[in-house]
Amino acid sequence: MLGVRSIMGASAAAAVGVVSVATVAKTVEEKFPAPKFSLQAERFDLSTMQGRFAKQLTNCDPSLLLAREQEIRAAEGLLRDFSEGKAANASNSQLWSARKLVEATVQPDTKEIIPRPFRMSGYVPFNGPVCVAMMASQSTPALLFWNWVNQSQNALVNYFNRNASSPTSNETLFISYSAAVGAALTMAFGLSQFISRRYSPARAAQLMKFVAFPSSVVASCSNCYIMRRPEIESGISILDKDGNTLADGARSSVAANKAVMETVLSRGILQIPVFFIPPLLMSIPPFSAASAAVAIPLTTMFTIASFGFGLPSTVAIFPQVGSVKVEELEPELREAVGSQPDGTVYYNKGL
């Protein structure tokens, strides 16, 4: 009976957490006056941390999962009409809402609708419970299983949100997935074995909650780096302050390396609110003294909330459009880009 109550409590707590994230996302969006609609300009000021957080939080809004295919295709049609000058009756708010829905649900290159579990808006409700299961695991087999599920989920999110206009080889995808799973399982197995042999069963059960944190940091960082390492080898485009490509499309490995490192770092930092803060809170009285029927729902709610607000926060740490000094570029590119304001060029960091 305790198990049933715990599961029901955890399910209710997860629902509360998801609804809270969706509610805050809508509240934050409403705090920012919508500028005149544009298909190119951004809804928020991405030069500020506040604006970047607002954009990412609205992208992660779980309520976007409720939209049906007909609604998504209708939003695409409205945007198409706007581009052809046929949407005179659509309000500014309707146009921004349509753009947000399309960007959150449609793969920009293939134009296919992304399955719900693998959208950014689906990350919290679908991956959050997996994270809870990882922290709740008190045996090595269970810990290894949920680490595998977590990295498989992450790999599929990366795949469906990839840049499909520049295809990643199946070999790269397989290596990235294998490296992430291997790193996570190796770290989880090693730490769980060390803890079980070094500490008493009661103390080991407490410490096992923290094993998910280092294993996820290593796995997420290695997954991201391996997936995007080809960018460093081939380089990425460099832009002027208006977003125009410089040097006749020549690519910079220096800019690519900076973009990849910023993304890897943000992926590592994301694991703190997801896998470190919730078990830390649960180790503090009075939460530490709670029964399983209470502790599991509390852990679930803390994790969902931390995930929901931690994800947009960490993605927003670095600007989507990064900058690098001309003098730091490859010698052959310095002359090609010519004189730039403040001696700076820019690049698209990616996610």
Side-chain angles (χ1 to χ4, degrees):
M1 189 65 180
L2 179 61
V4 174
R5 290 204 305 269
S6 297
I7 292 173
M8 292 179 63
S11 300
V16 170
V18 170
V19 170
S20 298
V21 172
T23 301
V24 173
K26 290 193 177 342
T27 301
V28 168
E29 184 177 15
E30 292 170 358
K31 291 289 184 181
F32 290 80
K36 184 178 179 180
F37 180 75
S38 168
L39 287 171
Q40 290 79 34
E42 291 289 344
R43 166 77 169 75
F44 304 99
D45 181 4
L46 301 188
S47 66
T48 67
M49 175 70 179
Q50 185 182 43
R52 295 194 296 272
F53 173 76
K55 174 181 173 61
Q56 297 304 330
L57 183 61
T58 55
N59 285 347
C60 296
D61 180 359
S63 68
L64 293 171
L65 297 174
L66 300 176
R68 295 170 297 176
E69 181 175 355
Q70 301 94 307
E71 297 175 73
I72 297 171
R73 296 309 183 190
E76 284 185 308
L78 179 59
L79 296 181
R80 189 164 47 250
D81 288 345
F82 176 84
S83 67
E84 298 172 355
K86 302 176 183 177
N89 295 327
S91 68
N92 200 52
S93 176
Q94 287 176 316
L95 290 167
W96 279 116
S97 295
R99 180 177 165 183
K100 180 179 74 170
L101 178 59
V102 170
E103 290 180 347
T105 58
V106 179
Q107 219 291 339
D109 299 308
T110 65
K111 304 304 179 184
E112 297 177 353
I113 294 179
I114 301 171
R116 285 181 172 84
F118 311 125
R119 301 174 191 171
M120 291 303 291
S121 56
Y123 222 157
V124 172
F126 286 98
N127 192 248
V130 175
C131 298
V132 173
M134 288 174 65
M135 288 182 287
S137 299
Q138 296 186 6
S139 69
T140 299
L143 186 62
L144 296 179
F145 172 77
W146 288 112
N147 267 274
W148 169 72
V149 173
N150 183 50
Q151 290 308 317
S152 297
Q153 163 81 6
N154 290 337
L156 288 169
V157 170
N158 289 337
Y159 175 77
F160 281 103
N161 292 277
R162 72 198 187 284
N163 184 340
S165 65
S166 179
T168 301
S169 68
N170 290 333
E171 180 184 6
T172 298
L173 291 173
F174 178 75
I175 292 174
S176 174
Y177 174 72
S178 299
V181 171
L185 298 189
T186 299
M187 179 68 74
F189 179 77
L191 288 176
S192 64
Q193 289 298 299
F194 172 79
I195 289 172
S196 63
R197 294 174 181 176
R198 176 70 175 78
Y199 298 96
S200 65
R203 181 60 174 164
Q206 294 177 330
L207 293 175
M208 284 286 283
K209 299 175 184 178
F210 291 92
V211 171
F213 173 58
S215 62
S216 295
V217 169
V218 172
S220 296
C221 291
S222 61
N223 189 340
C224 180
Y225 180 77
I226 294 173
M227 278 290 291
R228 297 191 57 182
R229 184 178 58 185
E231 295 178 28
I232 299 177
E233 298 172 354
S234 63
I236 59 175
S237 299
I238 48 178
L239 318 169
D240 63 17
K241 63 182 182 64
D242 297 317
N244 301 309
T245 302
L246 295 171
D248 295 325
R251 295 172 175 266
S252 170
S253 292
V254 171
N257 184 70
K258 191 174 181 183
V260 172
M261 290 302 103
E262 288 173 346
T263 307
V264 170
L265 182 57
S266 66
R267 293 290 181 89
I269 296 174
L270 171 61
Q271 312 313 309
I272 297 175
V274 178
F275 291 109
F276 185 74
I277 291 179
L280 181 63
L281 290 174
M282 291 304 299
S283 67
I284 300 174
F287 302 133
S288 60
S291 64
V294 176
I296 293 177
L298 278 176
T299 300
T300 302
M301 188 170 63
F302 286 153
T303 302
I304 296 295
S306 294
F307 197 175
F309 301 121
L311 177 60
S313 297
T314 53
V315 173
I317 291 175
F318 298 104
Q320 183 66 34
V321 177
S323 63
V324 60
K325 292 294 184 181
V326 173
E327 62 190 33
E328 298 175 10
L329 294 174
E330 295 87 337
E332 62 272 17
L333 288 179
R334 296 172 193 167
E335 182 177 350
V337 301
S339 177
Q340 297 295 320
D342 299 325
T344 303
V345 293
Y346 303 87
Y347 57 86
N348 190 325
K349 176 178 70 70
L351 295 175

